[in-house]
Amino acid sequence: MRGVFLDTLTMKLEELDTAALKNALDQWDFFETTSPEQAAERIANADVVITNKVVLDRQLIESAPNLKLICVCATGTNNIDLDAAAEKNIPVKNVTGYTGASLAQHTLALILALATRWHQYHADVRNGSWATSPVFCRLDYPVIELAGKKLGIIGYGDLGQKVAQLGQALGMDVLVAESFSGAQKAGRVPLSQLLAESDVISLHCPLTPATDQMVDAAFLAAMKPSAFLINTARGGLVDEKALLAALHNGDIAGAALDVLSVEPPPADHPLLADDIPNLIITPHNAWISRESRQRLLDGVVDNITQQFPA
């Protein structure tokens, strides 16, 4: 049995315990990255293919006669032609639940950064502003206390629940939006109420036709002008032009994003401009703790060994 991992650079395998992965099959080929032009040759003789973000379309799947299992080294499977795989009776297995603690703490860090403006104060310390201050401290940027504020959660799966718990630990009151499925669940509030009342809104829902660019101009206008928006879910949830306008116009107080609609973004992406002080962007790394990546890799190994028990 031969396995191919097409984009190991997304995992930084040298930091992880890979013994179980290597023992799961007889032979492995590891590639840091794989371009669309390289993919067909690399999977041609593979029984198992592991991919994080490399696209496996119908043509590629049909070109690999030995292919018996596709492992997505992530939760989302939108880079796989699931219909083509099903027609060839090739299981497609992903991994869920591995990011919980890592993503939740990153979300909390973004919330704290917007609330305390510590990153701006740190920059001022480094550029000498504190050293030249006429008094012992600096009060250039407004700081708020999160205790007593309302944290709105949109998407209340495992990740949303973990973020809610962290917010409650800080003394925040949690509001949870009604499910997009229309199912009535106790304790949920209408989205309109959540937008009107929340001081921080954190997105944890999947990207679906119902949620695509849900954070549009109307959504942002319905938020409190003092509120913060956090997105550690999917970039496509946000209309980025509308967000840029809302930040420039002061319609909301700030935003922190770990995801964008195109990743990596082009250098001239409008949200990467230098003149947006109330915006924080991190490079899709809320999930990247070593512990999280190890759980993900272990999940891939479990998927392989369940499909091909010894």
Side-chain angles (χ1 to χ4, degrees), residues 64-99:
N66 296 335
L67 192 55
K68 301 176 181 66
L69 175 65
I70 296 172
C71 288
V72 182
C73 194
T75 299
T77 58
N78 56 299
N79 57 324
I80 311 298
D81 189 323
L82 299 177
D83 291 336
E87 290 171 14
K88 293 195 66 177
N89 295 315
I90 301 171
V92 178
K93 296 191 176 185
N94 63 343
V95 183
T96 62
Y98 62 91
T99 65

PDB file of all heavy atoms in Angstrom, residues 64-99:
ATOM      1  N   ALA A  64      -6.372   8.214 -11.290  1.00  0.00           N
ATOM      2  CA  ALA A  64      -5.599   7.428 -10.316  1.00  0.00           C
ATOM      3  C   ALA A  64      -6.263   6.065 -10.134  1.00  0.00           C
ATOM      4  O   ALA A  64      -7.159   5.910  -9.291  1.00  0.00           O
ATOM      5  CB  ALA A  64      -5.519   8.185  -8.993  1.00  0.00           C
ATOM      6  N   PRO A  65      -5.844   5.060 -10.871  1.00  0.00           N
ATOM      7  CA  PRO A  65      -6.552   3.769 -10.882  1.00  0.00           C
ATOM      8  C   PRO A  65      -6.462   3.002  -9.570  1.00  0.00           C
ATOM      9  O   PRO A  65      -7.334   2.172  -9.286  1.00  0.00           O
ATOM     10  CB  PRO A  65      -5.862   3.004 -12.020  1.00  0.00           C
ATOM     11  CG  PRO A  65      -4.508   3.625 -12.137  1.00  0.00           C
ATOM     12  CD  PRO A  65      -4.704   5.072 -11.806  1.00  0.00           C
ATOM     13  N   ASN A  66      -5.419   3.240  -8.770  1.00  0.00           N
ATOM     14  CA  ASN A  66      -5.249   2.486  -7.531  1.00  0.00           C
ATOM     15  C   ASN A  66      -5.901   3.152  -6.318  1.00  0.00           C
ATOM     16  O   ASN A  66      -5.911   2.583  -5.225  1.00  0.00           O
ATOM     17  CB  ASN A  66      -3.765   2.299  -7.228  1.00  0.00           C
ATOM     18  CG  ASN A  66      -3.052   1.472  -8.280  1.00  0.00           C
ATOM     19  OD1 ASN A  66      -3.679   0.673  -8.976  1.00  0.00           O
ATOM     20  ND2 ASN A  66      -1.744   1.672  -8.414  1.00  0.00           N
ATOM     21  N   LEU A  67      -6.429   4.343  -6.498  1.00  0.00           N
ATOM     22  CA  LEU A  67      -6.879   5.154  -5.368  1.00  0.00           C
ATOM     23  C   LEU A  67      -8.019   4.469  -4.614  1.00  0.00           C
ATOM     24  O   LEU A  67      -9.051   4.132  -5.186  1.00  0.00           O
ATOM     25  CB  LEU A  67      -7.318   6.535  -5.862  1.00  0.00           C
ATOM     26  CG  LEU A  67      -7.560   7.617  -4.805  1.00  0.00           C
ATOM     27  CD1 LEU A  67      -6.333   7.812  -3.922  1.00  0.00           C
ATOM     28  CD2 LEU A  67      -7.927   8.936  -5.484  1.00  0.00           C
ATOM     29  N   LYS A  68      -7.813   4.305  -3.301  1.00  0.00           N
ATOM     30  CA  LYS A  68      -8.783   3.610  -2.452  1.00  0.00           C
ATOM     31  C   LYS A  68      -9.295   4.475  -1.300  1.00  0.00           C
ATOM     32  O   LYS A  68     -10.288   4.117  -0.657  1.00  0.00           O
ATOM     33  CB  LYS A  68      -8.153   2.338  -1.882  1.00  0.00           C
ATOM     34  CG  LYS A  68      -7.677   1.344  -2.923  1.00  0.00           C
ATOM     35  CD  LYS A  68      -6.978   0.166  -2.275  1.00  0.00           C
ATOM     36  CE  LYS A  68      -6.487  -0.825  -3.328  1.00  0.00           C
ATOM     37  NZ  LYS A  68      -5.423  -0.236  -4.189  1.00  0.00           N
ATOM     38  N   LEU A  69      -8.590   5.571  -1.007  1.00  0.00           N
ATOM     39  CA  LEU A  69      -8.994   6.421   0.114  1.00  0.00           C
ATOM     40  C   LEU A  69      -8.412   7.814  -0.073  1.00  0.00           C
ATOM     41  O   LEU A  69      -7.238   7.960  -0.423  1.00  0.00           O
ATOM     42  CB  LEU A  69      -8.485   5.835   1.448  1.00  0.00           C
ATOM     43  CG  LEU A  69      -8.727   6.677   2.702  1.00  0.00           C
ATOM     44  CD1 LEU A  69     -10.208   6.825   2.999  1.00  0.00           C
ATOM     45  CD2 LEU A  69      -7.990   6.062   3.903  1.00  0.00           C
ATOM     46  N   ILE A  70      -9.255   8.824   0.150  1.00  0.00           N
ATOM     47  CA  ILE A  70      -8.790  10.215   0.167  1.00  0.00           C
ATOM     48  C   ILE A  70      -8.946  10.729   1.590  1.00  0.00           C
ATOM     49  O   ILE A  70     -10.052  10.702   2.147  1.00  0.00           O
ATOM     50  CB  ILE A  70      -9.602  11.092  -0.803  1.00  0.00           C
ATOM     51  CG1 ILE A  70      -9.402  10.627  -2.243  1.00  0.00           C
ATOM     52  CG2 ILE A  70      -9.200  12.565  -0.653  1.00  0.00           C
ATOM     53  CD1 ILE A  70     -10.331  11.316  -3.240  1.00  0.00           C
ATOM     54  N   CYS A  71      -7.871  11.175   2.176  1.00  0.00           N
ATOM     55  CA  CYS A  71      -7.888  11.748   3.523  1.00  0.00           C
ATOM     56  C   CYS A  71      -7.683  13.251   3.421  1.00  0.00           C
ATOM     57  O   CYS A  71      -6.649  13.704   2.909  1.00  0.00           O
ATOM     58  CB  CYS A  71      -6.792  11.139   4.394  1.00  0.00           C
ATOM     59  SG  CYS A  71      -7.124   9.434   4.883  1.00  0.00           S
ATOM     60  N   VAL A  72      -8.641  13.993   3.913  1.00  0.00           N
ATOM     61  CA  VAL A  72      -8.502  15.441   3.960  1.00  0.00           C
ATOM     62  C   VAL A  72      -7.912  15.792   5.320  1.00  0.00           C
ATOM     63  O   VAL A  72      -8.509  15.499   6.356  1.00  0.00           O
ATOM     64  CB  VAL A  72      -9.849  16.145   3.755  1.00  0.00           C
ATOM     65  CG1 VAL A  72      -9.658  17.657   3.766  1.00  0.00           C
ATOM     66  CG2 VAL A  72     -10.479  15.710   2.445  1.00  0.00           C
ATOM     67  N   CYS A  73      -6.743  16.398   5.296  1.00  0.00           N
ATOM     68  CA  CYS A  73      -6.053  16.765   6.540  1.00  0.00           C
ATOM     69  C   CYS A  73      -6.606  18.114   7.010  1.00  0.00           C
ATOM     70  O   CYS A  73      -5.894  19.111   7.132  1.00  0.00           O
ATOM     71  CB  CYS A  73      -4.552  16.821   6.285  1.00  0.00           C
ATOM     72  SG  CYS A  73      -3.563  16.871   7.803  1.00  0.00           S
ATOM     73  N   ALA A  74      -7.911  18.135   7.236  1.00  0.00           N
ATOM     74  CA  ALA A  74      -8.645  19.338   7.620  1.00  0.00           C
ATOM     75  C   ALA A  74     -10.086  18.905   7.847  1.00  0.00           C
ATOM     76  O   ALA A  74     -10.420  17.715   7.726  1.00  0.00           O
ATOM     77  CB  ALA A  74      -8.566  20.403   6.521  1.00  0.00           C
ATOM     78  N   THR A  75     -10.943  19.878   8.152  1.00  0.00           N
ATOM     79  CA  THR A  75     -12.363  19.582   8.328  1.00  0.00           C
ATOM     80  C   THR A  75     -13.129  19.757   7.021  1.00  0.00           C
ATOM     81  O   THR A  75     -13.935  18.905   6.643  1.00  0.00           O
ATOM     82  CB  THR A  75     -12.972  20.490   9.409  1.00  0.00           C
ATOM     83  OG1 THR A  75     -12.311  20.245  10.651  1.00  0.00           O
ATOM     84  CG2 THR A  75     -14.464  20.226   9.561  1.00  0.00           C
ATOM     85  N   GLY A  76     -12.874  20.841   6.304  1.00  0.00           N
ATOM     86  CA  GLY A  76     -13.604  21.116   5.072  1.00  0.00           C
ATOM     87  C   GLY A  76     -13.199  20.187   3.945  1.00  0.00           C
ATOM     88  O   GLY A  76     -12.016  19.861   3.778  1.00  0.00           O
ATOM     89  N   THR A  77     -14.173  19.751   3.148  1.00  0.00           N
ATOM     90  CA  THR A  77     -13.914  18.846   2.024  1.00  0.00           C
ATOM     91  C   THR A  77     -14.265  19.495   0.682  1.00  0.00           C
ATOM     92  O   THR A  77     -14.446  18.799  -0.321  1.00  0.00           O
ATOM     93  CB  THR A  77     -14.736  17.551   2.177  1.00  0.00           C
ATOM     94  OG1 THR A  77     -16.139  17.874   2.251  1.00  0.00           O
ATOM     95  CG2 THR A  77     -14.322  16.789   3.427  1.00  0.00           C
ATOM     96  N   ASN A  78     -14.334  20.818   0.676  1.00  0.00           N
ATOM     97  CA  ASN A  78     -14.744  21.510  -0.547  1.00  0.00           C
ATOM     98  C   ASN A  78     -13.693  21.438  -1.648  1.00  0.00           C
ATOM     99  O   ASN A  78     -13.972  21.793  -2.794  1.00  0.00           O
ATOM    100  CB  ASN A  78     -15.080  22.972  -0.247  1.00  0.00           C
ATOM    101  CG  ASN A  78     -13.931  23.708   0.418  1.00  0.00           C
ATOM    102  OD1 ASN A  78     -13.510  23.328   1.511  1.00  0.00           O
ATOM    103  ND2 ASN A  78     -13.419  24.739  -0.219  1.00  0.00           N
ATOM    104  N   ASN A  79     -12.481  20.982  -1.348  1.00  0.00           N
ATOM    105  CA  ASN A  79     -11.452  20.834  -2.375  1.00  0.00           C
ATOM    106  C   ASN A  79     -11.465  19.457  -3.032  1.00  0.00           C
ATOM    107  O   ASN A  79     -10.607  19.148  -3.851  1.00  0.00           O
ATOM    108  CB  ASN A  79     -10.064  21.117  -1.790  1.00  0.00           C
ATOM    109  CG  ASN A  79      -9.722  20.222  -0.606  1.00  0.00           C
ATOM    110  OD1 ASN A  79     -10.595  19.890   0.193  1.00  0.00           O
ATOM    111  ND2 ASN A  79      -8.461  19.863  -0.473  1.00  0.00           N
ATOM    112  N   ILE A  80     -12.451  18.646  -2.698  1.00  0.00           N
ATOM    113  CA  ILE A  80     -12.568  17.301  -3.263  1.00  0.00           C
ATOM    114  C   ILE A  80     -13.865  17.221  -4.077  1.00  0.00           C
ATOM    115  O   ILE A  80     -14.923  17.680  -3.625  1.00  0.00           O
ATOM    116  CB  ILE A  80     -12.617  16.221  -2.158  1.00  0.00           C
ATOM    117  CG1 ILE A  80     -11.480  16.416  -1.138  1.00  0.00           C
ATOM    118  CG2 ILE A  80     -12.568  14.829  -2.782  1.00  0.00           C
ATOM    119  CD1 ILE A  80     -10.096  16.294  -1.702  1.00  0.00           C
ATOM    120  N   ASP A  81     -13.801  16.622  -5.277  1.00  0.00           N
ATOM    121  CA  ASP A  81     -15.017  16.343  -6.029  1.00  0.00           C
ATOM    122  C   ASP A  81     -15.649  15.097  -5.415  1.00  0.00           C
ATOM    123  O   ASP A  81     -15.282  13.957  -5.748  1.00  0.00           O
ATOM    124  CB  ASP A  81     -14.702  16.120  -7.506  1.00  0.00           C
ATOM    125  CG  ASP A  81     -15.955  16.040  -8.366  1.00  0.00           C
ATOM    126  OD1 ASP A  81     -16.960  15.470  -7.891  1.00  0.00           O
ATOM    127  OD2 ASP A  81     -15.938  16.556  -9.499  1.00  0.00           O
ATOM    128  N   LEU A  82     -16.576  15.330  -4.496  1.00  0.00           N
ATOM    129  CA  LEU A  82     -17.160  14.223  -3.736  1.00  0.00           C
ATOM    130  C   LEU A  82     -17.991  13.303  -4.627  1.00  0.00           C
ATOM    131  O   LEU A  82     -18.035  12.091  -4.396  1.00  0.00           O
ATOM    132  CB  LEU A  82     -18.014  14.783  -2.594  1.00  0.00           C
ATOM    133  CG  LEU A  82     -17.266  15.640  -1.567  1.00  0.00           C
ATOM    134  CD1 LEU A  82     -18.232  16.187  -0.521  1.00  0.00           C
ATOM    135  CD2 LEU A  82     -16.161  14.827  -0.881  1.00  0.00           C
ATOM    136  N   ASP A  83     -18.632  13.851  -5.629  1.00  0.00           N
ATOM    137  CA  ASP A  83     -19.423  13.020  -6.539  1.00  0.00           C
ATOM    138  C   ASP A  83     -18.529  12.060  -7.315  1.00  0.00           C
ATOM    139  O   ASP A  83     -18.848  10.870  -7.463  1.00  0.00           O
ATOM    140  CB  ASP A  83     -20.213  13.898  -7.507  1.00  0.00           C
ATOM    141  CG  ASP A  83     -21.321  14.683  -6.822  1.00  0.00           C
ATOM    142  OD1 ASP A  83     -21.786  14.236  -5.753  1.00  0.00           O
ATOM    143  OD2 ASP A  83     -21.711  15.737  -7.346  1.00  0.00           O
ATOM    144  N   ALA A  84     -17.401  12.581  -7.805  1.00  0.00           N
ATOM    145  CA  ALA A  84     -16.480  11.731  -8.563  1.00  0.00           C
ATOM    146  C   ALA A  84     -15.923  10.619  -7.678  1.00  0.00           C
ATOM    147  O   ALA A  84     -15.787   9.462  -8.110  1.00  0.00           O
ATOM    148  CB  ALA A  84     -15.351  12.568  -9.144  1.00  0.00           C
ATOM    149  N   ALA A  85     -15.588  10.968  -6.432  1.00  0.00           N
ATOM    150  CA  ALA A  85     -15.071   9.954  -5.512  1.00  0.00           C
ATOM    151  C   ALA A  85     -16.132   8.896  -5.223  1.00  0.00           C
ATOM    152  O   ALA A  85     -15.837   7.686  -5.212  1.00  0.00           O
ATOM    153  CB  ALA A  85     -14.606  10.621  -4.217  1.00  0.00           C
ATOM    154  N   ALA A  86     -17.359   9.330  -5.009  1.00  0.00           N
ATOM    155  CA  ALA A  86     -18.433   8.380  -4.709  1.00  0.00           C
ATOM    156  C   ALA A  86     -18.687   7.437  -5.878  1.00  0.00           C
ATOM    157  O   ALA A  86     -18.940   6.235  -5.684  1.00  0.00           O
ATOM    158  CB  ALA A  86     -19.702   9.139  -4.345  1.00  0.00           C
ATOM    159  N   GLU A  87     -18.616   7.963  -7.079  1.00  0.00           N
ATOM    160  CA  GLU A  87     -18.843   7.126  -8.260  1.00  0.00           C
ATOM    161  C   GLU A  87     -17.791   6.033  -8.387  1.00  0.00           C
ATOM    162  O   GLU A  87     -18.056   4.959  -8.939  1.00  0.00           O
ATOM    163  CB  GLU A  87     -18.854   7.999  -9.515  1.00  0.00           C
ATOM    164  CG  GLU A  87     -20.082   8.896  -9.613  1.00  0.00           C
ATOM    165  CD  GLU A  87     -19.973   9.907 -10.732  1.00  0.00           C
ATOM    166  OE1 GLU A  87     -19.078   9.741 -11.600  1.00  0.00           O
ATOM    167  OE2 GLU A  87     -20.749  10.885 -10.739  1.00  0.00           O
ATOM    168  N   LYS A  88     -16.597   6.290  -7.861  1.00  0.00           N
ATOM    169  CA  LYS A  88     -15.531   5.278  -7.905  1.00  0.00           C
ATOM    170  C   LYS A  88     -15.417   4.516  -6.585  1.00  0.00           C
ATOM    171  O   LYS A  88     -14.460   3.756  -6.386  1.00  0.00           O
ATOM    172  CB  LYS A  88     -14.186   5.948  -8.225  1.00  0.00           C
ATOM    173  CG  LYS A  88     -14.103   6.534  -9.628  1.00  0.00           C
ATOM    174  CD  LYS A  88     -12.662   6.854 -10.008  1.00  0.00           C
ATOM    175  CE  LYS A  88     -11.822   5.594 -10.127  1.00  0.00           C
ATOM    176  NZ  LYS A  88     -10.439   5.878 -10.577  1.00  0.00           N
ATOM    177  N   ASN A  89     -16.406   4.730  -5.693  1.00  0.00           N
ATOM    178  CA  ASN A  89     -16.429   4.056  -4.383  1.00  0.00           C
ATOM    179  C   ASN A  89     -15.167   4.334  -3.576  1.00  0.00           C
ATOM    180  O   ASN A  89     -14.642   3.446  -2.898  1.00  0.00           O
ATOM    181  CB  ASN A  89     -16.634   2.546  -4.560  1.00  0.00           C
ATOM    182  CG  ASN A  89     -17.986   2.216  -5.162  1.00  0.00           C
ATOM    183  OD1 ASN A  89     -19.001   2.762  -4.756  1.00  0.00           O
ATOM    184  ND2 ASN A  89     -17.985   1.329  -6.147  1.00  0.00           N
ATOM    185  N   ILE A  90     -14.691   5.567  -3.674  1.00  0.00           N
ATOM    186  CA  ILE A  90     -13.513   5.985  -2.905  1.00  0.00           C
ATOM    187  C   ILE A  90     -13.983   6.801  -1.708  1.00  0.00           C
ATOM    188  O   ILE A  90     -14.538   7.894  -1.885  1.00  0.00           O
ATOM    189  CB  ILE A  90     -12.559   6.827  -3.764  1.00  0.00           C
ATOM    190  CG1 ILE A  90     -12.093   6.038  -4.984  1.00  0.00           C
ATOM    191  CG2 ILE A  90     -11.369   7.305  -2.937  1.00  0.00           C
ATOM    192  CD1 ILE A  90     -11.328   6.881  -6.002  1.00  0.00           C
ATOM    193  N   PRO A  91     -13.804   6.308  -0.496  1.00  0.00           N
ATOM    194  CA  PRO A  91     -14.203   7.082   0.682  1.00  0.00           C
ATOM    195  C   PRO A  91     -13.375   8.370   0.787  1.00  0.00           C
ATOM    196  O   PRO A  91     -12.181   8.378   0.461  1.00  0.00           O
ATOM    197  CB  PRO A  91     -13.905   6.145   1.854  1.00  0.00           C
ATOM    198  CG  PRO A  91     -13.774   4.783   1.249  1.00  0.00           C
ATOM    199  CD  PRO A  91     -13.252   4.991  -0.130  1.00  0.00           C
ATOM    200  N   VAL A  92     -14.029   9.430   1.233  1.00  0.00           N
ATOM    201  CA  VAL A  92     -13.350  10.698   1.536  1.00  0.00           C
ATOM    202  C   VAL A  92     -13.557  10.956   3.017  1.00  0.00           C
ATOM    203  O   VAL A  92     -14.691  11.107   3.481  1.00  0.00           O
ATOM    204  CB  VAL A  92     -13.927  11.852   0.697  1.00  0.00           C
ATOM    205  CG1 VAL A  92     -13.242  13.168   1.078  1.00  0.00           C
ATOM    206  CG2 VAL A  92     -13.763  11.570  -0.793  1.00  0.00           C
ATOM    207  N   LYS A  93     -12.452  10.995   3.752  1.00  0.00           N
ATOM    208  CA  LYS A  93     -12.555  11.146   5.204  1.00  0.00           C
ATOM    209  C   LYS A  93     -11.827  12.414   5.649  1.00  0.00           C
ATOM    210  O   LYS A  93     -10.676  12.650   5.271  1.00  0.00           O
ATOM    211  CB  LYS A  93     -11.963   9.919   5.906  1.00  0.00           C
ATOM    212  CG  LYS A  93     -12.736   8.632   5.612  1.00  0.00           C
ATOM    213  CD  LYS A  93     -12.302   7.502   6.523  1.00  0.00           C
ATOM    214  CE  LYS A  93     -13.137   6.249   6.299  1.00  0.00           C
ATOM    215  NZ  LYS A  93     -12.795   5.168   7.258  1.00  0.00           N
ATOM    216  N   ASN A  94     -12.506  13.192   6.464  1.00  0.00           N
ATOM    217  CA  ASN A  94     -11.908  14.394   7.034  1.00  0.00           C
ATOM    218  C   ASN A  94     -11.699  14.193   8.524  1.00  0.00           C
ATOM    219  O   ASN A  94     -11.916  13.102   9.065  1.00  0.00           O
ATOM    220  CB  ASN A  94     -12.801  15.613   6.751  1.00  0.00           C
ATOM    221  CG  ASN A  94     -14.162  15.481   7.424  1.00  0.00           C
ATOM    222  OD1 ASN A  94     -14.587  14.402   7.835  1.00  0.00           O
ATOM    223  ND2 ASN A  94     -14.866  16.598   7.542  1.00  0.00           N
ATOM    224  N   VAL A  95     -11.285  15.259   9.213  1.00  0.00           N
ATOM    225  CA  VAL A  95     -11.055  15.204  10.658  1.00  0.00           C
ATOM    226  C   VAL A  95     -11.761  16.396  11.279  1.00  0.00           C
ATOM    227  O   VAL A  95     -11.617  17.529  10.806  1.00  0.00           O
ATOM    228  CB  VAL A  95      -9.552  15.243  10.996  1.00  0.00           C
ATOM    229  CG1 VAL A  95      -9.333  15.106  12.507  1.00  0.00           C
ATOM    230  CG2 VAL A  95      -8.802  14.142  10.259  1.00  0.00           C
ATOM    231  N   THR A  96     -12.504  16.145  12.329  1.00  0.00           N
ATOM    232  CA  THR A  96     -13.206  17.220  13.023  1.00  0.00           C
ATOM    233  C   THR A  96     -12.767  17.268  14.480  1.00  0.00           C
ATOM    234  O   THR A  96     -12.208  16.310  15.010  1.00  0.00           O
ATOM    235  CB  THR A  96     -14.726  17.014  12.952  1.00  0.00           C
ATOM    236  OG1 THR A  96     -15.067  15.778  13.603  1.00  0.00           O
ATOM    237  CG2 THR A  96     -15.212  16.966  11.512  1.00  0.00           C
ATOM    238  N   GLY A  97     -13.021  18.409  15.116  1.00  0.00           N
ATOM    239  CA  GLY A  97     -12.830  18.517  16.551  1.00  0.00           C
ATOM    240  C   GLY A  97     -11.406  18.702  17.033  1.00  0.00           C
ATOM    241  O   GLY A  97     -11.149  18.686  18.239  1.00  0.00           O
ATOM    242  N   TYR A  98     -10.462  18.883  16.132  1.00  0.00           N
ATOM    243  CA  TYR A  98      -9.060  18.964  16.551  1.00  0.00           C
ATOM    244  C   TYR A  98      -8.631  20.372  16.944  1.00  0.00           C
ATOM    245  O   TYR A  98      -7.645  20.554  17.641  1.00  0.00           O
ATOM    246  CB  TYR A  98      -8.141  18.444  15.439  1.00  0.00           C
ATOM    247  CG  TYR A  98      -8.216  19.232  14.157  1.00  0.00           C
ATOM    248  CD1 TYR A  98      -7.368  20.296  13.926  1.00  0.00           C
ATOM    249  CD2 TYR A  98      -9.150  18.913  13.170  1.00  0.00           C
ATOM    250  CE1 TYR A  98      -7.450  21.030  12.747  1.00  0.00           C
ATOM    251  CE2 TYR A  98      -9.235  19.634  12.004  1.00  0.00           C
ATOM    252  CZ  TYR A  98      -8.386  20.698  11.792  1.00  0.00           C
ATOM    253  OH  TYR A  98      -8.470  21.435  10.642  1.00  0.00           O
ATOM    254  N   THR A  99      -9.342  21.405  16.509  1.00  0.00           N
ATOM    255  CA  THR A  99      -8.859  22.779  16.706  1.00  0.00           C
ATOM    256  C   THR A  99      -9.356  23.437  17.977  1.00  0.00           C
ATOM    257  O   THR A  99      -8.917  24.537  18.299  1.00  0.00           O
ATOM    258  CB  THR A  99      -9.304  23.678  15.543  1.00  0.00           C
ATOM    259  OG1 THR A  99     -10.730  23.773  15.543  1.00  0.00           O
ATOM    260  CG2 THR A  99      -8.836  23.142  14.212  1.00  0.00           C
TER     261      THR A  99
END
